[in-house]
Amino acid sequence: MSSKKILIVGGTGYLGQHLLQEFTAIQDTLPYALSLAFTYHTKPPPERLLKAIPHALPFHVDLRSDNDFDDISQNFGQPDVVVNCAALSVPRACEVDPTAAMAINVPSVLVKWLSSFSNGGTVLIHLSTDQVYEGTKSFYKEDDETLPVNVYGRSKVAAEQFISVNYSNFAILRSSIIYGPQTVSPVPKSLPVQWMDSVLAKGEAMDFFHDEFRCPVYVKDLVTIVWILTSRWISEKEPMQLLLNVGGPDRVSRVQMAEAVAHIRGYNLSLIKSVSSSTVNRGVKSPADISMDITRLIQTLNMSPTSFRDGVKLTLEAELSSAS
């Protein structure tokens, strides 16, 4: 039986944990042996995560350090697929430290390491963002001009450009807000649906923006997208240079997101107060409408992302079952 290797960079984050769990779950169903490894940065992987993915190898990596990937070369070897989920992804933090944002979000060290394998046998699946767009219209296409309004968006545009110029096989995924069930080892950041649920459950009125629009993507759809790309690369090994908008099928404001949660949970809609994003100073400029056209995603991968309402229902059901 042949053996294939997948490395998740940023494996202790929200998407990284979901990828590791799903890939672990399907390991025994594949026609080849699948080896998994992942990187972490700030602190050792939580015990709960390690127990859930017992055969995945953890590696400490600082994306700014040339030497950290040597350990992976020696103890895991060349991966067939690398999924880069690691990023400084809080826009306000990027504004405060733009140097760190560029150093972490532009994966120059990772690409240099991958380029050291001269056979071109590794594909890089890189997570980008809808915040590469300016936000002045609806349903951006992949070929539209990128004019980010904040440091985070600019760092992700720089990353896309660096990868496309310096690496031969890649898939760049411009992801919208990712939502879904909590991870096996809970992440510290607040998750959008769970946060809205907890706020509305208190029965107190809360302000939500009516004038910022995104196409939130259900996390399990994103896992499926990464797996389709992974399987295609492993089975075909055809050259890959893909750029895909990755979002759900619905363009929604924060008000509409909160209303979806309220409808499913039976909360009073009057608790949702519609306000303009201009009423709050978040310390960073935010694009108004970065909804995306996902036609290319649907046609290229032959998959249909989950509607926002269905995704919220699945998320809340998962939360209830994990709490019981």
Side-chain angles (χ1 to χ4, degrees), residues 280-313:
V280 177
N281 179 8
R282 286 171 282 175
V284 58
K285 191 172 181 184
S286 187
D289 187 345
I290 45 178
S291 55
M292 297 185 292
D293 183 319
I294 57 169
T295 303
R296 183 186 291 181
L297 171 76
I298 292 167
Q299 292 178 346
T300 303
L301 302 187
N302 192 28
M303 61 93 65
S304 297
T306 305
S307 72
F308 184 68
R309 181 151 186 161
D310 286 348
V312 169
K313 194 165 183 243

Short mmCIF file of all heavy atoms in Angstrom, two decimals, residues 280-313:
data_model
loop_
_atom_site.label_atom_id
_atom_site.label_comp_id
_atom_site.label_asym_id
_atom_site.label_seq_id
_atom_site.Cartn_x
_atom_site.Cartn_y
_atom_site.Cartn_z
N VAL A 280 -19.56 52.38 15.55
CA VAL A 280 -18.59 51.73 16.43
C VAL A 280 -17.18 51.92 15.88
O VAL A 280 -16.93 51.65 14.71
CB VAL A 280 -18.89 50.21 16.56
CG1 VAL A 280 -17.84 49.53 17.43
CG2 VAL A 280 -20.28 49.99 17.13
N ASN A 281 -16.28 52.36 16.75
CA ASN A 281 -14.86 52.47 16.37
C ASN A 281 -14.15 51.18 16.78
O ASN A 281 -13.92 50.93 17.95
CB ASN A 281 -14.21 53.67 17.06
CG ASN A 281 -12.73 53.80 16.70
OD1 ASN A 281 -12.23 53.09 15.82
ND2 ASN A 281 -12.03 54.70 17.37
N ARG A 282 -13.80 50.36 15.79
CA ARG A 282 -13.16 49.07 16.06
C ARG A 282 -11.64 49.14 15.95
O ARG A 282 -10.95 48.13 16.04
CB ARG A 282 -13.71 48.01 15.11
CG ARG A 282 -15.11 47.55 15.46
CD ARG A 282 -15.71 46.68 14.39
NE ARG A 282 -16.19 47.45 13.25
CZ ARG A 282 -16.68 46.92 12.14
NH1 ARG A 282 -16.72 45.60 12.01
NH2 ARG A 282 -17.12 47.68 11.16
N GLY A 283 -11.13 50.34 15.71
CA GLY A 283 -9.68 50.49 15.63
C GLY A 283 -9.11 50.00 14.32
O GLY A 283 -7.89 49.90 14.16
N VAL A 284 -9.98 49.68 13.37
CA VAL A 284 -9.53 49.19 12.06
C VAL A 284 -10.66 49.41 11.07
O VAL A 284 -11.84 49.27 11.39
CB VAL A 284 -9.15 47.69 12.12
CG1 VAL A 284 -10.32 46.85 12.61
CG2 VAL A 284 -8.65 47.19 10.78
N LYS A 285 -10.29 49.79 9.85
CA LYS A 285 -11.29 49.98 8.81
C LYS A 285 -11.77 48.61 8.33
O LYS A 285 -10.98 47.69 8.16
CB LYS A 285 -10.70 50.77 7.64
CG LYS A 285 -11.74 51.23 6.64
CD LYS A 285 -11.15 52.17 5.60
CE LYS A 285 -12.24 52.63 4.64
NZ LYS A 285 -11.71 53.46 3.55
N SER A 286 -13.08 48.49 8.13
CA SER A 286 -13.66 47.22 7.72
C SER A 286 -14.43 47.40 6.42
O SER A 286 -15.19 48.36 6.28
CB SER A 286 -14.60 46.70 8.82
OG SER A 286 -15.05 45.40 8.52
N PRO A 287 -14.23 46.51 5.44
CA PRO A 287 -14.94 46.66 4.17
C PRO A 287 -16.44 46.43 4.34
O PRO A 287 -16.86 45.59 5.13
CB PRO A 287 -14.31 45.58 3.28
CG PRO A 287 -13.73 44.58 4.23
CD PRO A 287 -13.34 45.34 5.46
N ALA A 288 -17.25 47.19 3.58
CA ALA A 288 -18.70 47.18 3.79
C ALA A 288 -19.36 45.94 3.19
O ALA A 288 -20.19 45.30 3.84
CB ALA A 288 -19.32 48.45 3.20
N ASP A 289 -19.03 45.60 1.95
CA ASP A 289 -19.68 44.48 1.30
C ASP A 289 -18.64 43.65 0.56
O ASP A 289 -18.19 44.03 -0.52
CB ASP A 289 -20.76 44.97 0.32
CG ASP A 289 -21.59 43.82 -0.26
OD1 ASP A 289 -21.17 42.66 -0.14
OD2 ASP A 289 -22.66 44.12 -0.85
N ILE A 290 -18.24 42.54 1.16
CA ILE A 290 -17.27 41.66 0.51
C ILE A 290 -17.90 40.28 0.27
O ILE A 290 -17.26 39.25 0.38
CB ILE A 290 -15.94 41.56 1.29
CG1 ILE A 290 -16.16 41.38 2.80
CG2 ILE A 290 -15.07 42.77 1.02
CD1 ILE A 290 -14.87 41.23 3.60
N SER A 291 -19.20 40.34 -0.06
CA SER A 291 -19.87 39.12 -0.49
C SER A 291 -19.19 38.64 -1.78
O SER A 291 -18.64 39.44 -2.54
CB SER A 291 -21.36 39.36 -0.72
OG SER A 291 -21.56 40.44 -1.63
N MET A 292 -19.21 37.33 -1.99
CA MET A 292 -18.45 36.76 -3.10
C MET A 292 -19.30 35.88 -4.01
O MET A 292 -20.20 35.18 -3.55
CB MET A 292 -17.29 35.92 -2.55
CG MET A 292 -16.26 36.70 -1.76
SD MET A 292 -14.83 35.69 -1.25
CE MET A 292 -15.61 34.57 -0.07
N ASP A 293 -18.99 35.92 -5.28
CA ASP A 293 -19.55 35.01 -6.26
C ASP A 293 -18.79 33.69 -6.15
O ASP A 293 -17.57 33.66 -6.30
CB ASP A 293 -19.38 35.62 -7.66
CG ASP A 293 -20.01 34.79 -8.76
OD1 ASP A 293 -19.89 33.54 -8.72
OD2 ASP A 293 -20.60 35.37 -9.68
N ILE A 294 -19.50 32.59 -5.87
CA ILE A 294 -18.82 31.30 -5.67
C ILE A 294 -19.08 30.33 -6.83
O ILE A 294 -18.94 29.12 -6.69
CB ILE A 294 -19.21 30.65 -4.33
CG1 ILE A 294 -20.72 30.46 -4.23
CG2 ILE A 294 -18.69 31.48 -3.16
CD1 ILE A 294 -21.15 29.57 -3.05
N THR A 295 -19.42 30.88 -7.99
CA THR A 295 -19.69 30.04 -9.17
C THR A 295 -18.49 29.17 -9.51
O THR A 295 -18.64 27.97 -9.80
CB THR A 295 -20.05 30.92 -10.39
OG1 THR A 295 -21.17 31.74 -10.06
CG2 THR A 295 -20.39 30.07 -11.59
N ARG A 296 -17.29 29.75 -9.50
CA ARG A 296 -16.10 28.99 -9.87
C ARG A 296 -15.89 27.83 -8.89
O ARG A 296 -15.53 26.72 -9.30
CB ARG A 296 -14.87 29.89 -9.90
CG ARG A 296 -13.60 29.17 -10.35
CD ARG A 296 -12.35 30.04 -10.23
NE ARG A 296 -12.36 31.14 -11.20
CZ ARG A 296 -11.35 32.02 -11.29
NH1 ARG A 296 -10.30 31.93 -10.48
NH2 ARG A 296 -11.41 33.00 -12.19
N LEU A 297 -16.10 28.06 -7.61
CA LEU A 297 -15.97 27.00 -6.59
C LEU A 297 -16.91 25.85 -6.90
O LEU A 297 -16.51 24.68 -6.92
CB LEU A 297 -16.28 27.58 -5.21
CG LEU A 297 -16.38 26.58 -4.06
CD1 LEU A 297 -15.00 26.10 -3.64
CD2 LEU A 297 -17.12 27.19 -2.86
N ILE A 298 -18.18 26.17 -7.14
CA ILE A 298 -19.20 25.15 -7.37
C ILE A 298 -18.88 24.35 -8.64
O ILE A 298 -18.98 23.11 -8.66
CB ILE A 298 -20.59 25.81 -7.47
CG1 ILE A 298 -20.99 26.40 -6.11
CG2 ILE A 298 -21.64 24.82 -7.95
CD1 ILE A 298 -22.19 27.33 -6.16
N GLN A 299 -18.46 25.05 -9.69
CA GLN A 299 -18.19 24.38 -10.96
C GLN A 299 -16.89 23.57 -10.92
O GLN A 299 -16.82 22.47 -11.46
CB GLN A 299 -18.15 25.41 -12.09
CG GLN A 299 -19.51 26.04 -12.37
CD GLN A 299 -19.48 27.10 -13.45
OE1 GLN A 299 -18.41 27.58 -13.84
NE2 GLN A 299 -20.64 27.49 -13.94
N THR A 300 -15.86 24.12 -10.27
CA THR A 300 -14.55 23.45 -10.25
C THR A 300 -14.57 22.20 -9.39
O THR A 300 -13.96 21.18 -9.74
CB THR A 300 -13.46 24.42 -9.72
OG1 THR A 300 -13.45 25.59 -10.53
CG2 THR A 300 -12.08 23.78 -9.76
N LEU A 301 -15.27 22.25 -8.26
CA LEU A 301 -15.24 21.14 -7.31
C LEU A 301 -16.53 20.33 -7.29
O LEU A 301 -16.62 19.34 -6.57
CB LEU A 301 -14.94 21.67 -5.90
CG LEU A 301 -13.63 22.45 -5.75
CD1 LEU A 301 -13.37 22.77 -4.28
CD2 LEU A 301 -12.45 21.71 -6.34
N ASN A 302 -17.52 20.78 -8.07
CA ASN A 302 -18.80 20.06 -8.15
C ASN A 302 -19.40 19.82 -6.77
O ASN A 302 -19.76 18.70 -6.40
CB ASN A 302 -18.61 18.72 -8.89
CG ASN A 302 -19.94 18.08 -9.26
OD1 ASN A 302 -20.92 18.79 -9.46
ND2 ASN A 302 -19.97 16.76 -9.35
N MET A 303 -19.49 20.91 -6.01
CA MET A 303 -20.10 20.82 -4.67
C MET A 303 -20.95 22.06 -4.41
O MET A 303 -20.72 23.10 -5.00
CB MET A 303 -19.02 20.64 -3.59
CG MET A 303 -18.02 21.76 -3.47
SD MET A 303 -18.45 23.01 -2.24
CE MET A 303 -18.39 22.08 -0.73
N SER A 304 -21.95 21.90 -3.56
CA SER A 304 -22.85 23.00 -3.24
C SER A 304 -22.76 23.32 -1.75
O SER A 304 -23.17 22.49 -0.91
CB SER A 304 -24.30 22.63 -3.58
OG SER A 304 -24.44 22.42 -4.96
N PRO A 305 -22.22 24.48 -1.39
CA PRO A 305 -22.09 24.83 0.03
C PRO A 305 -23.44 24.94 0.75
O PRO A 305 -24.47 25.23 0.14
CB PRO A 305 -21.38 26.19 -0.02
CG PRO A 305 -20.69 26.23 -1.34
CD PRO A 305 -21.59 25.48 -2.28
N THR A 306 -23.40 24.71 2.03
CA THR A 306 -24.57 24.73 2.90
C THR A 306 -25.13 26.14 3.04
O THR A 306 -24.37 27.10 3.20
CB THR A 306 -24.17 24.19 4.29
OG1 THR A 306 -23.57 22.90 4.14
CG2 THR A 306 -25.35 24.10 5.23
N SER A 307 -26.45 26.27 3.01
CA SER A 307 -27.06 27.58 3.24
C SER A 307 -26.75 28.06 4.66
O SER A 307 -26.50 27.24 5.55
CB SER A 307 -28.57 27.51 3.04
OG SER A 307 -29.18 26.81 4.12
N PHE A 308 -26.80 29.36 4.86
CA PHE A 308 -26.45 29.89 6.19
C PHE A 308 -27.43 29.37 7.25
O PHE A 308 -27.02 28.94 8.32
CB PHE A 308 -26.42 31.41 6.20
CG PHE A 308 -25.98 31.97 7.52
CD1 PHE A 308 -24.68 31.80 7.97
CD2 PHE A 308 -26.88 32.62 8.35
CE1 PHE A 308 -24.27 32.28 9.21
CE2 PHE A 308 -26.48 33.11 9.60
CZ PHE A 308 -25.17 32.94 10.02
N ARG A 309 -28.70 29.38 6.92
CA ARG A 309 -29.70 28.94 7.90
C ARG A 309 -29.48 27.46 8.28
O ARG A 309 -29.54 27.09 9.46
CB ARG A 309 -31.11 29.15 7.35
CG ARG A 309 -32.16 28.73 8.34
CD ARG A 309 -33.44 29.52 8.19
NE ARG A 309 -34.35 29.15 9.27
CZ ARG A 309 -35.37 29.88 9.64
NH1 ARG A 309 -35.59 31.03 9.07
NH2 ARG A 309 -36.17 29.49 10.61
N ASP A 310 -29.23 26.61 7.28
CA ASP A 310 -28.99 25.20 7.57
C ASP A 310 -27.71 25.02 8.38
O ASP A 310 -27.64 24.18 9.28
CB ASP A 310 -28.89 24.40 6.27
CG ASP A 310 -30.24 24.19 5.60
OD1 ASP A 310 -31.27 24.47 6.24
OD2 ASP A 310 -30.27 23.77 4.43
N GLY A 311 -26.69 25.81 8.06
CA GLY A 311 -25.42 25.73 8.79
C GLY A 311 -25.57 26.14 10.25
O GLY A 311 -24.99 25.53 11.15
N VAL A 312 -26.38 27.17 10.48
CA VAL A 312 -26.64 27.62 11.86
C VAL A 312 -27.38 26.52 12.62
O VAL A 312 -27.05 26.22 13.78
CB VAL A 312 -27.46 28.93 11.86
CG1 VAL A 312 -27.96 29.25 13.27
CG2 VAL A 312 -26.63 30.08 11.32
N LYS A 313 -28.35 25.91 11.95
CA LYS A 313 -29.10 24.82 12.60
C LYS A 313 -28.16 23.68 12.98
O LYS A 313 -28.20 23.16 14.11
CB LYS A 313 -30.19 24.32 11.64
CG LYS A 313 -31.24 23.46 12.29
CD LYS A 313 -32.45 23.31 11.38
CE LYS A 313 -33.51 22.50 12.07
NZ LYS A 313 -33.86 21.26 11.45
#
